[in-house]
Amino acid sequence: MTERGKWRDRAARRRRSRSLLRKILRRGFFVLLTLLAIFVAGFLYFADTVASLQPPAAPKADAIVVLTGGFQRIEQAVELLKAGAGNRLLISGVNPATTGSQIRRNTQSSADLFKCCVDIGHDAVDTIGNATEAGQWIHDRGYRSVLVVTNNYHMPRSLLELRRVRPDTEFIAYPVVNSDLKTSNWLRNPLFIKAILLEYAKYSIAFLRDLANTHLANDSRTDASPAIRAKE
């Protein structure tokens, strides 16, 4: 009887373990399914937002910042400068091997325009670097409003990083539309899907990072407030 009782206890424990494992797997599956649904819904919302971006009809700001990554962006920014949409232009993230003279020739601009009103930034290597470089430039010159020129799919993350560095500056989006996502069937183009998915993933990481930093900052202020009151 003792051996039989031990066997029954072991069998009961195994059944409980299998039941617990099934519950964990089932709940894990639903968690993963929920996260996947959130990711897909967020991606579709992001893609629709990007597709809806349009340049302002009459752009005007104190200055213009273009984030490099394609010649079309620089050409558009220089055209905005020529049209008087801003008083000065920063071309951020230029390859160190590329000179201002080369950019001037490629944009068919005058030497006087580049000498008086164009700054070339060579330090940035990514979007965070663009924001840091542009933020310092804006601070040094005291600009309050800035036109931001970059690709439409790159605009949300660019604005997020710029506003993180310069929260008091008004950033006005001027998206360069390389592809019309509203009218084209981009879901059938794997290259477009890959580019937008990658950008959405980067934007999500940047957004969650800022959200976490804000939460930590709020917690720090809450923890410090009793000490401040006691000192007062």
Side-chain angles (χ1 to χ4, degrees):
M1 291 295 293
T2 303
E3 289 298 326
R4 183 176 296 178
K6 289 181 179 179
W7 180 84
R8 287 176 179 174
D9 288 342
R10 286 196 296 268
R13 284 197 296 270
R14 284 196 295 269
R15 285 196 296 271
R16 287 195 295 270
S17 297
R18 286 196 294 268
S19 178
L20 179 61
L21 180 61
R22 283 195 295 270
K23 287 180 180 178
I24 293 173
L25 290 175
R26 188 162 53 246
R27 290 176 181 176
F29 172 77
F30 284 121
V31 168
L32 288 175
L33 194 63
T34 301
L35 291 175
L36 179 61
I38 291 171
F39 182 85
V40 172
F43 169 70
L44 293 175
Y45 177 78
F46 177 82
D48 184 67
T49 300
V50 166
S52 301
L53 288 175
Q54 292 295 326
K60 184 65 180 176
D62 294 338
I64 306 165
V65 169
V66 57
L67 311 184
T68 56
F71 177 73
Q72 188 179 1
R73 305 182 193 181
I74 299 175
E75 190 174 35
Q76 181 63 72
V78 171
E79 288 301 319
L80 287 169
L81 180 66
K82 291 177 181 178
N87 299 318
R88 196 170 187 88
L89 167 65
L90 169 67
I91 305 175
S92 174
V94 176
N95 190 307
T98 303
T99 65
S101 297
Q102 290 173 318
I103 296 174
R104 180 183 62 78
R105 287 194 297 270
N106 288 336
T107 57
Q108 299 180 355
S109 304
S110 68
D112 290 341
L113 179 70
F114 266 65
K115 185 176 180 180
C116 85
C117 306
V118 178
D119 296 311
I120 309 294
H122 293 286
D123 294 335
V125 295
D126 55 18
T127 305
I128 295 176
N130 288 140
T132 302
E133 188 172 63
Q136 187 62 52
W137 181 78
I138 293 166
H139 175 268
D140 292 343
R141 296 184 176 275
Y143 295 132
R144 299 179 64 84
S145 60
V146 176
L147 274 172
V148 181
V149 181
T150 188
N151 284 92
N152 53 354
Y153 62 83
H154 186 232
M155 186 61 73
R157 185 161 59 99
S158 301
L159 292 178
L160 182 70
E161 298 293 357
L162 286 165
R163 287 166 179 160
R164 176 180 58 82
V165 174
R166 297 291 304 170
D168 296 331
T169 303
E170 179 189 5
F171 292 104
I172 304 167
Y174 194 98
V176 176
V177 182
N178 283 344
S179 57
D180 188 352
L181 300 179
K182 276 292 187 184
T183 59
S184 62
N185 192 356
W186 57 272
L187 285 171
R188 293 185 178 180
N189 190 325
L191 293 178
F192 278 136
I193 293 176
K194 180 181 178 181
I196 296 175
L197 265 175
L198 180 61
E199 188 58 37
Y200 171 63
K202 291 179 179 179
Y203 173 80
S204 299
I205 292 169
F207 177 80
L208 291 174
R209 178 206 62 208
D210 278 11
L211 193 65
N213 289 340
T214 301
H215 181 71
L216 289 174
N218 290 337
D219 285 349
S220 298
R221 285 195 292 268
T222 302
D223 293 342
S225 56
I228 292 172
R229 285 196 296 268
K231 192 174 181 179
E232 291 174 346

Coordinates of all heavy atoms in Angstrom, one line a residue, residues 71-156:
F71 N 19.8 62.5 -51.8 CA 20.1 63.8 -52.4 C 18.8 64.6 -52.6 O 18.8 65.8 -52.5 CB 20.8 63.6 -53.7 CG 21.0 64.9 -54.5 CD1 22.0 65.8 -54.0 CD2 20.2 65.2 -55.6 CE1 22.2 67.0 -54.7 CE2 20.4 66.4 -56.2 CZ 21.4 67.3 -55.8
Q72 N 17.7 63.9 -52.8 CA 16.4 64.6 -53.0 C 16.0 65.5 -51.8 O 15.5 66.6 -52.0 CB 15.3 63.6 -53.3 CG 14.0 64.2 -53.7 CD 12.9 63.2 -54.0 OE1 13.1 62.0 -53.9 NE2 11.7 63.7 -54.5
R73 N 16.4 65.0 -50.6 CA 16.1 65.8 -49.4 C 16.9 67.1 -49.5 O 16.3 68.2 -49.2 CB 16.5 65.0 -48.2 CG 15.8 63.7 -48.0 CD 16.3 63.1 -46.7 NE 16.0 61.7 -46.6 CZ 16.3 60.9 -45.5 NH1 16.8 61.4 -44.5 NH2 16.0 59.6 -45.5
I74 N 18.2 67.0 -49.8 CA 19.0 68.2 -49.8 C 18.5 69.2 -50.8 O 18.4 70.4 -50.6 CB 20.5 67.8 -50.0 CG1 21.0 66.9 -48.9 CG2 21.4 69.1 -50.1 CD1 22.4 66.4 -49.1
E75 N 18.2 68.7 -52.0 CA 17.8 69.5 -53.1 C 16.5 70.3 -52.7 O 16.3 71.5 -53.0 CB 17.5 68.6 -54.3 CG 17.3 69.4 -55.6 CD 17.2 68.5 -56.8 OE1 16.6 67.4 -56.7 OE2 17.6 68.9 -57.9
Q76 N 15.6 69.6 -52.0 CA 14.3 70.2 -51.6 C 14.6 71.3 -50.6 O 14.0 72.4 -50.6 CB 13.4 69.1 -51.0 CG 12.0 69.7 -50.6 CD 11.2 70.3 -51.7 OE1 10.7 69.5 -52.6 NE2 11.1 71.6 -51.8
A77 N 15.5 71.0 -49.6 CA 15.8 72.0 -48.6 C 16.4 73.2 -49.2 O 16.1 74.4 -48.7 CB 16.7 71.3 -47.6
V78 N 17.3 73.1 -50.1 CA 18.0 74.2 -50.8 C 16.9 75.0 -51.5 O 17.0 76.3 -51.5 CB 19.1 73.8 -51.7 CG1 19.6 74.9 -52.5 CG2 20.2 73.1 -50.9
E79 N 16.0 74.4 -52.2 CA 14.9 75.1 -52.9 C 14.1 75.9 -51.9 O 13.7 77.0 -52.2 CB 14.0 74.1 -53.6 CG 14.7 73.5 -54.9 CD 15.1 74.6 -55.9 OE1 14.4 75.5 -56.1 OE2 16.2 74.5 -56.4
L80 N 13.8 75.3 -50.7 CA 13.1 76.1 -49.7 C 13.9 77.3 -49.2 O 13.3 78.4 -49.0 CB 12.8 75.2 -48.5 CG 11.7 74.1 -48.7 CD1 11.7 73.1 -47.6 CD2 10.3 74.7 -48.8
L81 N 15.2 77.2 -49.1 CA 16.0 78.3 -48.7 C 16.0 79.4 -49.7 O 15.8 80.6 -49.4 CB 17.4 77.8 -48.4 CG 18.4 78.9 -48.0 CD1 18.1 79.4 -46.7 CD2 19.9 78.3 -48.0
K82 N 16.1 79.0 -51.0 CA 16.0 80.0 -52.1 C 14.7 80.7 -52.1 O 14.6 81.9 -52.5 CB 16.3 79.2 -53.4 CG 17.7 78.7 -53.6 CD 17.8 78.0 -55.0 CE 19.1 77.4 -55.2 NZ 19.2 76.6 -56.5
A83 N 13.6 80.0 -51.7 CA 12.3 80.6 -51.8 C 12.0 81.4 -50.6 O 10.9 82.1 -50.5 CB 11.2 79.5 -51.9
G84 N 12.9 81.5 -49.6 CA 12.7 82.3 -48.4 C 11.9 81.6 -47.3 O 11.4 82.3 -46.4
A85 N 11.8 80.3 -47.3 CA 11.0 79.6 -46.3 C 11.7 79.6 -45.0 O 11.1 79.4 -43.9 CB 10.8 78.2 -46.7
G86 N 13.0 79.9 -45.0 CA 13.8 80.0 -43.8 C 15.0 80.9 -44.1 O 15.4 81.1 -45.2
N87 N 15.6 81.4 -43.0 CA 16.7 82.4 -43.2 C 18.1 81.6 -43.3 O 19.0 82.2 -43.9 CB 16.8 83.3 -42.0 CG 15.6 84.2 -41.9 OD1 15.0 84.7 -42.9 ND2 15.1 84.4 -40.7
R88 N 18.1 80.4 -42.8 CA 19.4 79.7 -42.9 C 19.1 78.2 -42.9 O 18.1 77.7 -42.4 CB 20.3 80.0 -41.7 CG 21.7 79.7 -41.8 CD 22.6 80.3 -40.7 NE 24.0 80.0 -40.9 CZ 24.8 80.8 -41.7 NH1 24.3 81.9 -42.2 NH2 26.0 80.5 -41.9
L89 N 20.1 77.5 -43.5 CA 19.9 76.0 -43.7 C 21.0 75.2 -43.0 O 22.2 75.6 -43.2 CB 19.8 75.7 -45.2 CG 19.9 74.2 -45.6 CD1 18.7 73.4 -45.0 CD2 20.0 74.1 -47.1
L90 N 20.7 74.2 -42.3 CA 21.7 73.2 -41.8 C 21.5 71.9 -42.5 O 20.4 71.4 -42.5 CB 21.5 73.0 -40.3 CG 22.4 71.8 -39.7 CD1 23.9 72.1 -39.8 CD2 22.0 71.5 -38.3
I91 N 22.5 71.4 -43.2 CA 22.5 70.1 -43.8 C 23.2 69.2 -42.8 O 24.4 69.2 -42.7 CB 23.2 70.1 -45.1 CG1 22.6 71.2 -46.1 CG2 23.1 68.7 -45.8 CD1 23.2 71.3 -47.4
S92 N 22.5 68.4 -42.1 CA 23.0 67.6 -41.0 C 23.3 66.2 -41.4 O 22.6 65.5 -42.2 CB 22.0 67.5 -39.8 OG 22.4 66.6 -38.8
G93 N 24.5 65.7 -40.9 CA 24.9 64.3 -41.2 C 25.5 64.0 -42.5 O 25.4 63.0 -43.1
V94 N 26.2 65.0 -43.0 CA 26.9 64.9 -44.3 C 28.1 64.1 -44.2 O 28.9 64.2 -43.2 CB 27.3 66.3 -44.9 CG1 28.1 66.2 -46.2 CG2 26.0 67.1 -45.1
N95 N 28.4 63.2 -45.1 CA 29.6 62.4 -45.1 C 30.8 63.3 -45.1 O 30.9 64.3 -45.8 CB 29.6 61.5 -46.4 CG 30.7 60.5 -46.4 OD1 31.9 60.8 -46.1 ND2 30.4 59.3 -46.6
P96 N 31.8 63.0 -44.2 CA 33.0 63.8 -44.0 C 33.7 64.0 -45.3 O 34.5 65.0 -45.5 CB 33.8 63.1 -43.0 CG 32.9 62.3 -42.2 CD 31.8 61.9 -43.2
A97 N 33.6 63.1 -46.3 CA 34.3 63.2 -47.5 C 33.6 64.1 -48.5 O 34.2 64.5 -49.6 CB 34.5 61.8 -48.2
T98 N 32.4 64.5 -48.2 CA 31.6 65.4 -49.1 C 31.8 66.8 -48.6 O 31.6 67.2 -47.5 CB 30.1 65.0 -49.0 OG1 29.9 63.7 -49.4 CG2 29.3 65.9 -50.0
T99 N 32.1 67.7 -49.6 CA 32.3 69.1 -49.3 C 31.1 69.9 -49.6 O 30.2 69.5 -50.4 CB 33.5 69.6 -50.1 OG1 33.2 69.6 -51.5 CG2 34.8 68.8 -49.8
G100 N 31.1 71.1 -49.0 CA 30.0 72.1 -49.3 C 30.0 72.5 -50.8 O 28.9 72.7 -51.4
S101 N 31.2 72.5 -51.4 CA 31.2 72.9 -52.8 C 30.6 71.8 -53.7 O 29.9 72.1 -54.7 CB 32.7 73.0 -53.3 OG 33.3 74.1 -52.6
Q102 N 30.8 70.5 -53.3 CA 30.1 69.5 -54.1 C 28.6 69.5 -54.0 O 27.9 69.4 -55.0 CB 30.6 68.1 -53.6 CG 32.1 67.8 -53.9 CD 32.6 66.5 -53.2 OE1 32.3 66.3 -52.1 NE2 33.3 65.7 -54.0
I103 N 28.1 69.8 -52.8 CA 26.7 69.9 -52.6 C 26.1 71.1 -53.4 O 25.1 71.0 -54.0 CB 26.3 70.1 -51.1 CG1 26.8 68.8 -50.3 CG2 24.9 70.3 -50.9 CD1 26.6 68.9 -48.8
R104 N 26.9 72.2 -53.3 CA 26.5 73.4 -54.0 C 26.3 73.1 -55.6 O 25.4 73.5 -56.2 CB 27.4 74.6 -53.8 CG 27.1 75.9 -54.5 CD 28.1 76.9 -54.3 NE 29.4 76.5 -54.8 CZ 29.8 76.6 -56.1 NH1 28.9 77.0 -57.0 NH2 31.0 76.2 -56.5
R105 N 27.3 72.5 -56.1 CA 27.3 72.2 -57.5 C 26.1 71.2 -57.9 O 25.5 71.4 -58.9 CB 28.6 71.6 -58.0 CG 29.8 72.6 -58.0 CD 31.0 72.0 -58.8 NE 31.5 70.8 -58.1 CZ 32.5 70.9 -57.2 NH1 33.0 72.1 -56.9 NH2 33.0 69.8 -56.7
N106 N 25.9 70.2 -57.0 CA 24.9 69.2 -57.3 C 23.5 69.9 -57.2 O 22.6 69.4 -57.9 CB 25.0 68.1 -56.3 CG 26.1 67.2 -56.6 OD1 26.6 67.1 -57.7 ND2 26.6 66.5 -55.5
T107 N 23.3 70.9 -56.4 CA 22.1 71.6 -56.2 C 22.0 72.8 -57.2 O 20.9 73.5 -57.2 CB 21.8 72.0 -54.8 OG1 22.9 72.9 -54.4 CG2 21.7 70.8 -53.9
Q108 N 23.0 73.0 -57.9 CA 23.1 74.1 -58.9 C 22.7 75.5 -58.2 O 21.9 76.3 -58.6 CB 22.1 73.9 -60.0 CG 22.4 72.7 -60.8 CD 21.4 72.4 -62.0 OE1 20.4 73.2 -62.1 NE2 21.7 71.4 -62.8
S109 N 23.4 75.7 -57.1 CA 23.2 76.9 -56.3 C 24.4 77.8 -56.4 O 25.5 77.4 -56.7 CB 23.0 76.5 -54.8 OG 21.9 75.6 -54.7
S110 N 24.2 79.1 -56.0 CA 25.3 80.0 -56.1 C 26.2 79.9 -54.9 O 25.8 79.5 -53.8 CB 24.7 81.5 -56.1 OG 24.1 81.8 -54.9
A111 N 27.5 80.3 -55.1 CA 28.4 80.3 -54.0 C 28.0 81.3 -53.0 O 28.3 81.1 -51.8 CB 29.8 80.7 -54.6
D112 N 27.4 82.4 -53.3 CA 27.0 83.4 -52.4 C 26.0 82.8 -51.4 O 26.0 83.1 -50.2 CB 26.4 84.6 -53.1 CG 27.5 85.4 -53.8 OD1 28.7 85.3 -53.4 OD2 27.2 86.2 -54.7
L113 N 25.0 82.1 -51.9 CA 24.0 81.5 -51.1 C 24.6 80.6 -50.0 O 24.2 80.6 -48.9 CB 23.0 80.7 -52.0 CG 21.8 80.0 -51.2 CD1 20.9 81.1 -50.6 CD2 21.1 79.0 -52.1
F114 N 25.5 79.7 -50.5 CA 26.1 78.8 -49.5 C 27.0 79.5 -48.5 O 27.1 79.1 -47.4 CB 26.9 77.7 -50.3 CG 26.1 76.4 -50.5 CD1 24.9 76.5 -51.4 CD2 26.4 75.2 -50.0 CE1 24.2 75.4 -51.6 CE2 25.6 74.1 -50.2 CZ 24.5 74.2 -51.0
K115 N 27.7 80.5 -49.0 CA 28.6 81.3 -48.1 C 27.8 82.0 -47.0 O 28.2 82.0 -45.8 CB 29.4 82.3 -48.9 CG 30.5 83.0 -48.1 CD 31.3 83.9 -49.0 CE 32.3 84.6 -48.2 NZ 33.2 85.5 -49.0
C116 N 26.7 82.5 -47.3 CA 25.9 83.3 -46.4 C 25.0 82.5 -45.5 O 24.7 82.9 -44.4 CB 25.1 84.5 -47.1 SG 23.5 84.0 -47.7
C117 N 24.4 81.5 -46.1 CA 23.2 80.9 -45.4 C 23.2 79.4 -45.3 O 22.1 78.9 -44.9 CB 22.0 81.3 -46.2 SG 21.8 83.1 -46.5
V118 N 24.2 78.7 -45.6 CA 24.2 77.2 -45.5 C 25.3 76.7 -44.6 O 26.5 77.1 -44.7 CB 24.3 76.6 -46.9 CG1 24.4 75.0 -46.7 CG2 23.2 77.0 -47.8
D119 N 25.0 75.9 -43.6 CA 25.9 75.3 -42.7 C 25.9 73.8 -43.0 O 24.9 73.2 -43.2 CB 25.6 75.5 -41.3 CG 25.7 77.0 -40.9 OD1 26.7 77.6 -41.2 OD2 24.7 77.5 -40.3
I120 N 27.1 73.2 -43.0 CA 27.3 71.7 -43.2 C 27.7 71.0 -42.0 O 28.7 71.4 -41.3 CB 28.3 71.5 -44.3 CG1 28.1 72.3 -45.6 CG2 28.4 70.0 -44.7 CD1 26.8 72.0 -46.3
G121 N 26.9 70.0 -41.5 CA 27.2 69.3 -40.3 C 27.7 67.9 -40.7 O 27.1 67.1 -41.5
H122 N 28.9 67.6 -40.2 CA 29.5 66.3 -40.5 C 29.6 65.3 -39.4 O 30.0 64.2 -39.5 CB 31.0 66.5 -41.0 CG 31.2 67.2 -42.3 ND1 30.9 66.6 -43.5 CD2 31.5 68.5 -42.5 CE1 31.1 67.5 -44.5 NE2 31.5 68.7 -43.9
D123 N 29.0 65.7 -38.2 CA 29.2 64.9 -37.0 C 28.2 63.7 -36.9 O 28.5 62.7 -36.4 CB 29.1 65.7 -35.7 CG 30.3 66.7 -35.7 OD1 31.3 66.4 -36.2 OD2 30.1 67.8 -35.0
A124 N 26.9 64.0 -37.3 CA 25.9 63.0 -37.1 C 26.0 61.8 -38.0 O 26.3 61.9 -39.2 CB 24.5 63.7 -37.4
V125 N 25.8 60.6 -37.4 CA 25.8 59.3 -38.2 C 24.5 58.6 -38.2 O 24.3 57.6 -38.8 CB 26.9 58.4 -37.7 CG1 28.3 59.0 -37.9 CG2 26.7 58.1 -36.2
D126 N 23.5 59.1 -37.4 CA 22.2 58.5 -37.3 C 21.2 59.6 -36.9 O 21.6 60.8 -36.8 CB 22.2 57.3 -36.3 CG 22.7 57.7 -34.9 OD1 22.7 58.9 -34.6 OD2 23.0 56.8 -34.1
T127 N 19.9 59.2 -36.7 CA 18.9 60.2 -36.4 C 19.1 60.9 -35.0 O 18.9 62.1 -34.9 CB 17.5 59.5 -36.4 OG1 17.3 58.9 -37.7 CG2 16.4 60.6 -36.3
I128 N 19.6 60.1 -34.1 CA 19.9 60.7 -32.8 C 21.0 61.8 -32.9 O 20.9 62.9 -32.3 CB 20.2 59.6 -31.7 CG1 19.1 58.7 -31.5 CG2 20.7 60.3 -30.4 CD1 19.4 57.6 -30.5
G129 N 22.0 61.4 -33.7 CA 23.1 62.4 -34.0 C 22.6 63.6 -34.7 O 23.0 64.7 -34.4
N130 N 21.7 63.4 -35.7 CA 21.1 64.5 -36.4 C 20.4 65.5 -35.4 O 20.5 66.7 -35.5 CB 20.0 64.0 -37.4 CG 20.6 63.4 -38.6 OD1 20.1 62.4 -39.1 ND2 21.7 63.9 -39.1
A131 N 19.6 64.9 -34.5 CA 18.9 65.7 -33.5 C 19.9 66.5 -32.6 O 19.6 67.7 -32.3 CB 18.0 64.9 -32.7
T132 N 20.9 65.8 -32.2 CA 21.9 66.5 -31.3 C 22.6 67.6 -32.1 O 22.8 68.7 -31.5 CB 22.9 65.5 -30.8 OG1 22.3 64.4 -30.1 CG2 24.0 66.1 -29.9
E133 N 23.0 67.3 -33.3 CA 23.7 68.3 -34.1 C 22.8 69.5 -34.4 O 23.2 70.7 -34.2 CB 24.2 67.7 -35.4 CG 25.1 68.5 -36.3 CD 25.6 67.7 -37.4 OE1 24.9 67.3 -38.3 OE2 26.9 67.6 -37.5
A134 N 21.6 69.2 -34.8 CA 20.6 70.3 -35.1 C 20.2 71.1 -33.8 O 20.1 72.3 -33.9 CB 19.4 69.7 -35.7
G135 N 20.1 70.4 -32.7 CA 19.7 71.0 -31.5 C 20.8 72.0 -31.0 O 20.4 73.1 -30.6
Q136 N 22.0 71.7 -31.2 CA 23.1 72.6 -30.8 C 23.1 73.8 -31.7 O 23.3 75.0 -31.3 CB 24.5 71.9 -30.9 CG 25.6 72.7 -30.3 CD 25.4 73.1 -28.9 OE1 25.2 72.3 -28.0 NE2 25.6 74.4 -28.6
W137 N 22.9 73.6 -33.0 CA 22.8 74.7 -34.0 C 21.7 75.6 -33.7 O 21.8 76.8 -33.8 CB 22.7 74.0 -35.4 CG 22.7 74.9 -36.6 CD1 23.7 75.5 -37.2 CD2 21.5 75.3 -37.4 NE1 23.3 76.3 -38.3 CE2 22.0 76.1 -38.4 CE3 20.2 74.9 -37.3 CZ2 21.1 76.6 -39.4 CZ3 19.3 75.5 -38.2 CH2 19.8 76.3 -39.2
I138 N 20.5 75.0 -33.4 CA 19.4 75.9 -33.1 C 19.6 76.7 -31.8 O 19.3 77.9 -31.8 CB 18.1 75.0 -32.9 CG1 17.7 74.3 -34.2 CG2 16.9 75.7 -32.3 CD1 16.8 73.2 -34.1
H139 N 20.2 76.1 -30.8 CA 20.5 76.8 -29.6 C 21.5 77.9 -29.8 O 21.3 79.0 -29.3 CB 21.1 75.8 -28.6 CG 21.5 76.4 -27.3 ND1 22.8 76.8 -27.1 CD2 20.8 76.7 -26.1 CE1 22.9 77.4 -25.9 NE2 21.8 77.3 -25.3
D140 N 22.5 77.6 -30.6 CA 23.6 78.7 -30.8 C 23.0 79.9 -31.5 O 23.5 81.0 -31.3 CB 24.7 78.1 -31.6 CG 25.5 77.0 -30.8 OD1 25.4 77.0 -29.5 OD2 26.3 76.2 -31.4
R141 N 22.0 79.7 -32.4 CA 21.5 80.8 -33.2 C 20.2 81.3 -32.7 O 19.6 82.3 -33.2 CB 21.4 80.3 -34.7 CG 22.7 80.0 -35.3 CD 22.7 79.6 -36.7 NE 24.0 79.4 -37.3 CZ 24.8 80.4 -37.7 NH1 24.4 81.6 -37.7 NH2 26.0 80.1 -38.2
G142 N 19.6 80.7 -31.7 CA 18.4 81.2 -31.1 C 17.1 81.1 -31.9 O 16.2 81.9 -31.8
Y143 N 17.1 80.0 -32.7 CA 15.9 79.9 -33.6 C 14.7 79.3 -32.8 O 14.9 78.5 -31.9 CB 16.2 78.9 -34.7 CG 17.2 79.5 -35.7 CD1 18.2 78.7 -36.2 CD2 17.1 80.8 -36.2 CE1 19.2 79.1 -37.1 CE2 18.0 81.3 -37.1 CZ 19.1 80.4 -37.5 OH 20.0 80.9 -38.4
R144 N 13.5 79.8 -33.1 CA 12.3 79.4 -32.3 C 11.4 78.5 -33.2 O 10.7 77.7 -32.6 CB 11.5 80.6 -31.9 CG 12.3 81.5 -30.9 CD 11.4 82.7 -30.6 NE 10.3 82.3 -29.8 CZ 10.3 82.1 -28.5 NH1 11.4 82.3 -27.8 NH2 9.2 81.8 -27.8
S145 N 11.5 78.5 -34.5 CA 10.8 77.7 -35.4 C 11.7 77.2 -36.5 O 12.5 77.9 -37.0 CB 9.6 78.4 -36.0 OG 10.0 79.5 -36.7
V146 N 11.6 75.9 -36.8 CA 12.5 75.2 -37.8 C 11.7 74.3 -38.7 O 10.9 73.5 -38.2 CB 13.6 74.4 -37.0 CG1 14.5 73.7 -38.0 CG2 14.4 75.3 -36.1
L147 N 11.9 74.4 -40.0 CA 11.4 73.4 -40.9 C 12.3 72.2 -40.9 O 13.5 72.3 -41.0 CB 11.3 74.1 -42.3 CG 10.1 74.9 -42.7 CD1 10.4 75.6 -44.1 CD2 8.8 74.1 -42.8
V148 N 11.7 71.0 -40.9 CA 12.4 69.8 -40.9 C 12.1 69.1 -42.2 O 11.0 68.7 -42.5 CB 12.0 68.9 -39.7 CG1 12.8 67.6 -39.7 CG2 12.2 69.6 -38.4
V149 N 13.2 68.9 -43.0 CA 13.1 68.2 -44.3 C 13.7 66.8 -44.2 O 14.9 66.7 -43.9 CB 13.8 69.1 -45.4 CG1 13.6 68.4 -46.7 CG2 13.2 70.5 -45.4
T150 N 12.9 65.8 -44.4 CA 13.4 64.4 -44.5 C 12.3 63.6 -45.2 O 11.2 64.1 -45.5 CB 13.7 63.9 -43.1 OG1 14.4 62.6 -43.3 CG2 12.5 63.7 -42.3
N151 N 12.6 62.3 -45.5 CA 11.6 61.5 -46.1 C 10.3 61.3 -45.3 O 10.4 61.4 -44.0 CB 12.1 60.1 -46.4 CG 13.1 60.1 -47.6 OD1 14.3 60.3 -47.4 ND2 12.6 59.9 -48.8
N152 N 9.2 61.1 -45.9 CA 7.9 61.0 -45.2 C 8.0 59.9 -44.1 O 7.5 60.1 -43.0 CB 6.7 60.8 -46.1 CG 6.9 59.7 -47.1 OD1 7.9 59.0 -47.2 ND2 5.9 59.4 -47.9
Y153 N 8.5 58.7 -44.5 CA 8.5 57.6 -43.5 C 9.5 57.8 -42.4 O 9.4 57.3 -41.3 CB 8.8 56.3 -44.2 CG 10.1 56.2 -44.9 CD1 11.3 55.9 -44.1 CD2 10.3 56.4 -46.2 CE1 12.5 55.8 -44.7 CE2 11.5 56.3 -46.8 CZ 12.6 56.0 -46.1 OH 13.9 55.9 -46.7
H154 N 10.4 58.7 -42.6 CA 11.5 59.0 -41.6 C 11.0 60.2 -40.7 O 11.6 60.4 -39.6 CB 12.8 59.4 -42.3 CG 13.9 59.6 -41.4 ND1 14.8 60.7 -41.4 CD2 14.4 58.8 -40.4 CE1 15.7 60.6 -40.5 NE2 15.5 59.5 -39.8
M155 N 10.0 60.9 -41.0 CA 9.6 62.1 -40.3 C 9.1 61.9 -38.9 O 9.6 62.7 -38.0 CB 8.5 62.8 -41.1 CG 8.1 64.2 -40.5 SD 9.5 65.4 -40.5 CE 9.6 65.8 -42.3
P156 N 8.3 60.9 -38.5 CA 7.9 60.8 -37.1 C 9.0 60.6 -36.2 O 9.0 61.2 -35.1 CB 7.0 59.5 -37.2 CG 6.4 59.5 -38.6 CD 7.6 60.0 -39.4

